[in-house]
């Protein structure tokens, strides 16, 4: 997704289309892996698409995995490459409605 941005989150639940996370409305699940899920979302303020990566709820109580997740977000935020989505924020315990 050219021009998209990535937001790393630690949430207490899995998301479903239509959920509102902070200012981001969930459109669909893009994929999942060993540590969590990646969702396509729409920024309701800036009116653009973004991607949210959330840590799987089963790992949130495991400090080492939670730290690795944050480390991945911070490392990715420091780099720039046309084939890598830019990380612009990390959030812990975001509100889901």
């Amino acid at each position: 997704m050219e021009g998209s941005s990535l937001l790393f989150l630690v949430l207490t639940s899995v998301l479903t289309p239509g959920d509102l996370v902070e200012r981001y409305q969930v459109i669909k699940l893009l994929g999942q892996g060993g540590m969590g899920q990646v969702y396509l979302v729409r920024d309701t303020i800036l009116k653009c698409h973004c991607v949210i990566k959330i840590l799987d709820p089963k790992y949130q109580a495991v400090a080492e995995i939670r730290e690795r997740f944050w480390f991945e977000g911070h490392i990715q935020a420091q780099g720039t490459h046309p084939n890598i989505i830019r990380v612009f924020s990390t959030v812990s315990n975001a509100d889901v409605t």
Side-chain angles (χ1 to χ4, degrees), residues 8-92:
F8 276 68
L9 298 174
V10 174
L11 300 175
T12 57
S13 62
V14 175
L15 301 175
T16 58
D19 285 349
L20 194 62
V21 182
E22 302 288 321
R23 66 189 216 201
Y24 306 97
Q25 184 170 24
V26 176
I27 296 172
K28 67 179 181 177
L29 175 68
L30 293 175
Q32 55 190 27
M35 289 182 68
Q37 301 82 34
V38 177
Y39 294 88
L40 175 64
V41 298
R42 179 156 181 81
D43 185 322
T44 59
I45 295 173
L46 298 177
K47 309 295 185 203
C48 63
H49 287 105
C50 300
V51 178
I52 289 180
K53 182 173 185 177
I54 66 166
L55 181 62
D56 193 302
K58 68 184 175 188
Y59 295 125
Q60 292 180 16
V62 183
E64 181 181 338
I65 293 175
R66 198 173 54 246
E67 289 169 14
R68 188 179 320 151
F69 183 77
W70 288 124
F71 181 73
E72 177 186 341
H74 288 276
I75 291 299
Q76 191 170 338
Q78 295 173 23
T80 58
H81 189 278
N83 295 328
I84 297 176
I85 295 177
R86 182 178 63 92
V87 172
F88 68 93
S89 185
T90 58
V91 178
S92 182

